[in-house]
Amino acid sequence: MVTEGKDETLVVLTKPVSLEGDSDVYQAPNLVRRILSLFKNVRPGSDLTNFQAIQLPPLFNIPKSHLQCYGESVYAVGEDLLHKCNSAENSQERFISVVAWSISLTRPTIFGCAPYNPILGETHHVSKGSLNVLLEQVSHHPPVSALHATDEKENIEMIWCHNPVPKFYGIKVEAEVHGRKQLKLLNHGETYAMNSPSLLIKFLPPGLDWVGNVKIHCQETSLEAELCYSTNSFLGHRGAHSIKGRIYQSSSMKTLYEVKGHWNSIVTVKDTNNGKERVIYNAKEVISGLKTPTVKDPQGVLPSESAAVWSAVSEGIQSKNWEKAREVKKAVEEKQRELVKDRNSRGQTWVPKHFNLSYTKEGGWDCSPIHTWVPPAPIVVPL
């Protein structure tokens, strides 16, 4: 979707990546040749956090920013899992619902392509019903993204700090996602803290998957979950996209439920007391039939909005006008370098507009929102 008018900002919005595939978003040509050309000068073990060392040409980009992809995992859903978290009848059922919601944040990605690296101060502001979501790129080197989402009707709040740290290992790239995610069910006085799995990209054989250990903890109820995301290309499809874990009481370490399944299909829990098993997550219901956001208030779109910052690049990619896409992408990146140089010459430090940013060696990067509630956005997702 493209929106432009008098005194309005050009905005290009694209369909979220879903289980149906990526043909409506972008399909990249000449995959092997692009991968070989991209990594021929990158040594195994190289830290790819500083993307100045490896600039992606538009051929490698899907027409959207990482900020948009992070936001889509929250607002681009076919089933309202947040409502289930809030309306469950007891603490154990709420915790199970939160586990299912956390799994829904794991989304398909397009092999051989990546979203744009957000520029410093870039924002993404979208509403779906009473849920308002705001993201800001609060650091560029290293890349740190912050998310604040609130639903005043449900009395729910989400706060994320997202710091991907990708490293190259010859035939694969593994991107560890540092930072904490919090989901607050304010009606119940419960806060759920969790981390994220890592994204594993394999070149031989080609493929990608989410891997690693995820821990979910609710201090108020002493309930915890341990989930292991794993993949095994030698086992074929059944070995990929798998999740296995448990939900337990931290005080006694007693396992209450066993969790198993695949994040891109079905996940079940089995009650260890009676052996009963039930489905808690169905990816087809959650990340299928996703709708493209639309611009409700064109004049309210900020120049820092992701879909505006990269609009001309996205137009070039969608029309396969690679020369245009390359030129305008270079212009965006050059402008940012000039702003950094100017700030440095003035001895100025950039400060986020919507978040307080902190860093400690023990805890890493952390973000806290400045405002209590996220306001309604000029960009909305059709219900």
Side-chain angles (χ1 to χ4, degrees):
M1 174 187 173
V2 179
T3 299
E4 186 178 23
K6 185 178 180 181
D7 299 325
E8 294 172 3
T9 303
L10 174 64
V11 177
V12 176
L13 295 163
T14 55
K15 183 180 178 182
V17 179
S18 64
L19 290 179
E20 287 88 7
D22 51 53
S23 59
D24 291 338
V25 181
Y26 174 58
Q27 284 190 330
N30 303 316
L31 178 61
V32 175
R33 179 163 58 91
R34 289 181 299 114
I35 290 175
L36 292 176
S37 66
L38 180 64
F39 291 112
K40 64 181 180 181
N41 295 320
V42 182
R43 296 178 180 178
S46 296
D47 187 340
L48 304 183
T49 302
N50 187 340
F51 288 103
Q52 285 183 333
I54 180 168
Q55 294 291 342
L56 288 176
L59 273 169
F60 284 89
N61 289 127
I62 62 173
K64 64 181 67 193
S65 167
H66 274 290
L67 279 190
Q68 291 171 275
C69 292
Y70 301 152
E72 285 174 358
S73 67
V74 174
Y75 63 72
V77 292
E79 182 182 5
D80 190 356
L81 295 181
L82 280 174
H83 176 73
K84 287 187 175 181
C85 295
N86 213 22
S87 61
E89 61 184 14
N90 57 56
S91 60
Q92 283 194 16
E93 288 301 312
R94 286 193 295 275
F95 194 91
I96 291 171
S97 296
V98 171
V99 169
W101 174 79
S102 74
I103 295 170
S104 77
L105 304 178
T106 309
R107 296 302 176 98
T109 54
I110 301 174
F111 182 76
C113 291
Y116 312 125
N117 298 319
I119 63 173
L120 189 63
E122 181 178 325
T123 59
H124 185 47
H125 190 193
V126 177
S127 294
K128 183 178 183 181
S130 56
L131 176 66
N132 302 317
V133 183
L134 175 64
L135 299 97
E136 182 179 11
Q137 191 68 11
V138 294
S139 174
H140 190 56
H141 297 302
V144 181
S145 307
L147 177 146
H148 188 209
T150 57
D151 189 325
E152 290 192 62
K153 181 180 177 181
E154 292 283 341
N155 212 16
I156 289 175
E157 181 179 28
M158 282 167 271
I159 303 171
W160 297 4
C161 189
H162 197 97
N163 172 214
V165 181
K167 290 188 176 181
F168 180 65
Y169 296 101
I171 61 171
K172 67 180 181 179
V173 170
E174 183 167 346
E176 294 183 2
V177 183
H178 297 179
R180 180 177 58 169
K181 296 179 179 178
Q182 288 184 321
L183 172 64
K184 299 183 179 183
L185 303 181
L186 301 175
N187 286 340
H188 303 284
E190 296 170 354
T191 297
Y192 300 81
M194 62 201 75
N195 64 311
S196 303
S198 301
L199 180 62
L200 178 65
I201 305 170
K202 288 186 176 181
F203 303 120
L204 292 174
L208 47 80
D209 205 349
W210 295 97
V211 298
N213 297 319
V214 170
K215 188 171 183 177
I216 305 170
H217 173 64
C218 179
Q219 183 175 354
E220 293 80 12
T221 63
S222 297
L223 291 171
E224 295 189 18
E226 295 173 344
L227 304 177
C228 179
Y229 287 71
S230 62
T231 186
N232 191 333
S233 58
F234 295 104
L235 295 178
H237 178 72
R238 288 185 298 174
H241 317 308
S242 68
I243 294 178
K244 188 175 182 180
R246 67 183 186 123
I247 297 172
Y248 61 96
Q249 195 79 43
S250 60
S251 57
S252 63
M253 298 301 291
K254 178 186 177 182
T255 299
L256 305 175
Y257 297 91
E258 295 175 350
V259 182
K260 67 176 181 179
H262 298 82
W263 64 260
N264 65 338
S265 56
I266 299 292
V267 178
T268 64
V269 294
K270 183 172 74 173
D271 191 325
T272 58
N273 287 326
N274 55 31
K276 291 184 178 179
E277 190 171 2
R278 57 188 164 111
V279 173
I280 63 167
Y281 180 72
N282 185 334
K284 187 174 182 180
E285 294 177 355
V286 177
I287 50 178
S288 291
L290 304 181
K291 298 178 180 179
T292 304
T294 61
V295 180
K296 181 180 180 180
D297 175 20
Q299 294 184 346
V301 177
L302 297 175
S304 60
E305 166 61 44
S306 292
V309 170
W310 302 102
S311 58
V313 187
S314 296
E315 280 190 322
I317 291 174
Q318 290 178 318
S319 63
K320 300 189 183 301
N321 186 340
W322 304 116
E323 185 64 28
K324 173 189 174 182
R326 184 166 56 251
E327 289 179 359
V328 291
K329 186 180 182 185
K330 183 179 179 180
V332 172
E333 293 167 346
E334 285 292 338
K335 182 179 179 180
Q336 293 309 302
R337 281 190 280 270
E338 291 174 5
L339 290 173
V340 171
K341 187 176 180 180
D342 181 62
R343 280 195 299 269
N344 291 340
S345 67
R346 296 170 181 267
Q348 296 178 340
T349 301
W350 185 84
V351 178
K353 293 182 179 179
H354 305 286
F355 296 86
N356 292 313
L357 180 65
S358 62
Y359 175 81
T360 61
K361 289 185 178 180
E362 298 77 20
W365 293 96
D366 196 17
C367 308
S368 59
I370 293 174
H371 303 290
T372 304
W373 299 100
V374 178
I379 298 174
V380 299
V381 180
L383 295 175

